[in-house]
């Protein structure tokens, strides 16, 4: 089945440092979505990318979808303690349900 | 709007017991999903329902059954619980079968002893 791999598994940064998580698929994706889950919470949708090479920004967050639609990244500039949580990518290649990566847990220390 | 509501929030079962996890959404979504989350494993799809009246297996369906009772409700049943089913279970719904954002419930923390 479709595999969505996400790296790194964990990242610990000082507040103010940048952070990037990467998502790679073994197959071409129709779209990719990113979710954030705070500790003890549930996943919350951040954004969806559909087009090859697409780049979207949300304040300090930048999302990219690769030209081949097999990889994606999330970059956070100047992290804050409110960025703490696990970031998941989820891809749709065929069928009707998203396949989630294992997530990257971000810890930000002041 | 309540969004996606799951019950119960916490449950402890003994091995071999059965239970049903309930999920309801009030967003008129066609698609509903059950995921389980285990440490370091991300979210794994158990079953999904692309529309009312249809259900399909996901990545880890063994030991589970589902019922799409109507458009609003999608339940997950454990017939004979096993310790390996200790997990956090999330129900989610979306309007567009993976092409639109998914809304998640608060989760059910299940422990099987």
């Amino acid at each position: 089945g479709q595999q969505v791999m996400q790296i790194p598994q964990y990242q610990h940064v000082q507040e103010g440092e940048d952070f990037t998580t990467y998502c790679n698929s073994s197959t071409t994706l129709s779209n990719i979505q990113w979710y954030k889950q705070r500790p003890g919470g549930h996943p919350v949708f951040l954004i969806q990318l559909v087009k090859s090479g697409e780049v979207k920004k949300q304040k300090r967050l930048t999302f990219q979808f690769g030209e081949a639609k097999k990889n994606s990244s999330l970059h956070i500039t100047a992290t804050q303690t409110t960025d703490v949580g696990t970031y998941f990518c989820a891809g749709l290649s065929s069928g009707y349900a998203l396949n989630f990566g294992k997530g990257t847990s971000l810890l930000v220390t002041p | 709007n309540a969004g996606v509501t799951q019950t119960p929030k916490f449950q402890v079962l003994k091995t071999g017991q059965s239970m049903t996890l309930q999920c309801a959404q009030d967003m008129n979504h066609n698609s509903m999903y059950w995921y389980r989350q285990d440490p370091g494993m991300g979210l794994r799809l158990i079953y999904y329902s692309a529309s009312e009246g249809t259900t399909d297996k996901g990545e880890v369906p063994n030991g589970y059954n589902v019922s799409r009772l109507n458009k609003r409700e999608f339940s997950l049943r454990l017939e004979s619980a096993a310790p390996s089913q200790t997990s956090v279970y999330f129900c989610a719904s979306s309007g567009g079968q993976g092409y639109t954002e998914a809304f998640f419930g608060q989760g059910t923390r299940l422990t099987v002893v």
Side-chain angles (χ1 to χ4, degrees):
Chain A
Q2 174 194 339
Q3 294 284 331
V4 178
M5 310 300 292
Q6 202 171 343
I7 55 169
Q9 188 174 2
Y10 302 99
Q11 187 80 57
H12 182 183
V13 300
Q14 296 288 322
E15 191 173 24
E17 292 182 336
D18 292 357
F19 159 77
T20 305
T21 173
Y22 300 90
C23 185
N24 293 290
S25 170
S26 55
T27 59
T28 301
L29 299 170
S30 301
N31 63 346
I32 195 157
Q33 297 180 0
W34 286 90
Y35 291 79
K36 177 183 179 181
Q37 182 178 26
R38 288 198 162 94
H42 60 281
V44 175
F45 175 83
L46 293 175
I47 208 159
Q48 175 171 265
L49 304 171
V50 178
K51 298 176 183 177
S52 169
E54 191 169 13
V55 178
K56 288 188 176 181
K57 293 188 177 184
Q58 290 180 348
K59 297 183 180 177
R60 296 176 295 105
L61 277 62
T62 301
F63 303 85
Q64 293 188 322
F65 201 9
E67 293 291 339
K69 300 184 75 173
K70 286 188 174 182
N71 57 75
S72 182
S73 64
L74 158 59
H75 179 81
I76 302 179
T77 303
T79 54
Q80 300 175 357
T81 54
T82 53
D83 295 326
V84 165
T86 300
Y87 293 84
F88 292 98
C89 62
L92 184 71
S93 61
S94 62
Y96 301 102
L98 293 165
N99 284 295
F100 282 78
K102 293 184 178 181
T104 296
S105 294
L106 173 64
L107 179 62
V108 181
T109 51
Chain B
N1 273 345
V4 179
T5 303
Q6 286 182 241
T7 55
K9 287 186 171 53
F10 301 93
Q11 184 72 48
V12 178
L13 287 179
K14 293 182 179 179
T15 297
Q17 286 184 320
S18 62
M19 79 161 294
T20 300
L21 281 64
Q22 306 286 352
C23 176
Q25 52 91 9
D26 62 2
M27 294 172 282
N28 200 36
H29 285 164
N30 287 318
S31 301
M32 297 186 73
Y33 315 88
W34 278 105
Y35 290 90
R36 61 176 287 174
Q37 185 173 35
D38 303 294
M41 297 298 292
L43 292 156
R44 293 185 292 171
L45 183 66
I46 306 171
Y47 271 93
Y48 65 97
S49 172
S51 61
E52 186 179 357
T54 68
T55 60
D56 286 286
K57 295 179 180 179
E59 180 186 355
V60 288
N62 291 345
Y64 306 94
N65 285 301
V66 290
S67 295
R68 182 75 183 265
L69 303 170
N70 46 55
K71 192 170 186 179
R72 290 187 66 248
E73 298 172 289
F74 189 38
S75 63
L76 178 71
R77 182 160 178 85
L78 288 70
E79 291 292 349
S80 179
S84 60
Q85 295 178 305
T86 293
S87 188
V88 180
Y89 292 85
F90 286 102
C91 177
S93 72
S94 72
Q97 297 179 0
Y99 289 96
T100 58
E101 70 176 282
F103 292 82
F104 283 79
Q106 298 293 320
T108 296
R109 297 181 181 277
L110 175 67
T111 301
V112 183
V113 298

